[in-house]
Amino acid sequence: MEQAPKYSFVLPVYNEAENVEPMMERLATAGAKLDAPFEVVWVNDGSTDATEAILEKIAAAQSNVRTLHLSRNFGHMAALCAGLESARATHAVITLDGDGQHPPERIPEMVRLWQEGADIVQTVRSDSGDLGPTKRVTSRWFYKVFNVLADTDIPEGAADFRLLDREVVDALNNLPERARFVRGLVHWVGFNKVLLPYAPESRLSGETKYSLLRMMAFALSGITSFSVRPLRLAFVLTLLVVALVVVYLGYVLVAMSSGKYLTPGWTSTMFIILLLGAAQLLVIGIASEYLARMYVEQKQRPVYIVRKRKTSRE
Ligand code: UDP
Ligand code: MG
């Protein structure tokens, strides 16, 4: 039987026909430096251009290349999950984009950090790289908002260029939830993490597949799959309204004791409005709390994950 590869390089691609071949060459060069068997897993996320044909040609010529064609465009995260599930590496999996923005030349260094004991080598974009101005701003905001709202922190600029130990890949594959925001889950699972700065390169060819709208949808799905804090807004508003009641009550008392004339009916009307508002918000807050619990439960994430002891990292 064919020997199982020690390393898998996983690349989700959607209409990257011009980029596949140049990337393949760079991957082969990087892989050769590892002195160990490796495989390249291309996940074709429902491309409508020549991506499929080019991938098949490469796979026919090279035995360590495998392809996976999804039945339609399922999105970057789903394609990444498909790749992680089919990776056969016994040691570690490296995921990267197929457009050349994640330089494969850094792979040997990532593997070295893994050999030194890191379970996750997460690359983080340094500012020196070639990232458009829109991307720079939207990305910065995304990480900020995410980290404020969610309980899991993602390092700023930590995209989907990373090495994952086999153990981590298994943990991710075993998560029962459907909506997989890999970028957050990788940090949620824990393990020993090492950050590696890198300068992003510009796209080899073609356009980004993430329009501003798609990026916002991506951010929203990421935040809502990691945070129930927005649901707690009603409680915060309740406190605000109660504070208003107290302030208003103070004002009324002072006005009355100093004999100031108050319009009849005004005070009682104000109180009824404020109190009803607070009561409604409170009930919404309580309902949201139960909703949040159900939401967390239905994700069925494991209560804990064991980090097994490693024997060898050769
Ligand atoms: N991608 C994918 N499915 C999609 C969108 C993108 O597999 O629906 C791939 C794409 O081919 C690339 C990677 O995901 O390899 C990152 O996408 P892109 O470069 O467009 O995003 P950006 O780098 O601009 O964030
Ligand atoms: Mg890109």
Side-chain angles (χ1 to χ4, degrees), residues 151-288:
D151 299 320
T152 306
D153 273 5
I154 309 180
E156 195 178 319
D160 301 292
F161 181 24
R162 58 174 85 83
L163 174 147
L164 304 169
D165 181 89
R166 177 80 247 174
E167 217 70 78
V168 179
V169 174
D170 289 343
L172 286 171
N173 290 344
N174 285 333
L175 290 179
E177 65 195 90
R178 307 275 108 207
R180 286 162 180 254
F181 186 66
V182 181
R183 214 171 269 198
L185 290 173
V186 161
H187 301 281
W188 182 85
V189 295
F191 293 89
N192 296 329
K193 189 163 60 193
V194 168
L195 300 183
L196 177 69
Y198 81 102
E201 294 178 7
S202 48
R203 229 171 196 286
L204 290 174
S205 140
E207 294 272 304
T208 174
K209 306 300 180 302
Y210 279 99
S211 60
L212 193 61
L213 217 66
R214 216 173 156 184
M215 215 137 65
M216 276 159 62
F218 180 73
L220 194 67
S221 99
I223 288 166
T224 50
S225 67
F226 273 87
S227 175
V228 293
R229 262 175 219 164
L231 282 173
R232 303 224 161 102
L233 195 66
F235 273 130
V236 178
L237 291 177
T238 312
L239 291 181
L240 274 177
V241 176
V242 170
L244 268 180
V245 174
V246 172
V247 169
Y248 190 57
L249 185 68
Y251 164 74
V252 169
L253 288 178
V254 170
M256 271 166 47
S257 63
S258 62
K260 192 167 171 268
Y261 176 75
L262 294 168
T263 316
W266 174 256
T267 305
S268 51
T269 310
M270 276 305 278
F271 272 119
I272 288 170
I273 291 175
L274 286 173
L275 287 177
L276 268 181
Q280 284 175 343
L281 282 169
L282 187 66
V283 173
I284 294 174
I286 293 169
S288 302

Side-chain angles (χ1 to χ4, degrees), residues 118-133:
D119 297 314
I120 298 173
V121 180
Q122 173 68 58
T123 68
V124 283
R125 283 194 294 256
S126 62
D127 268 347
S128 55
D130 191 1
L131 208 69

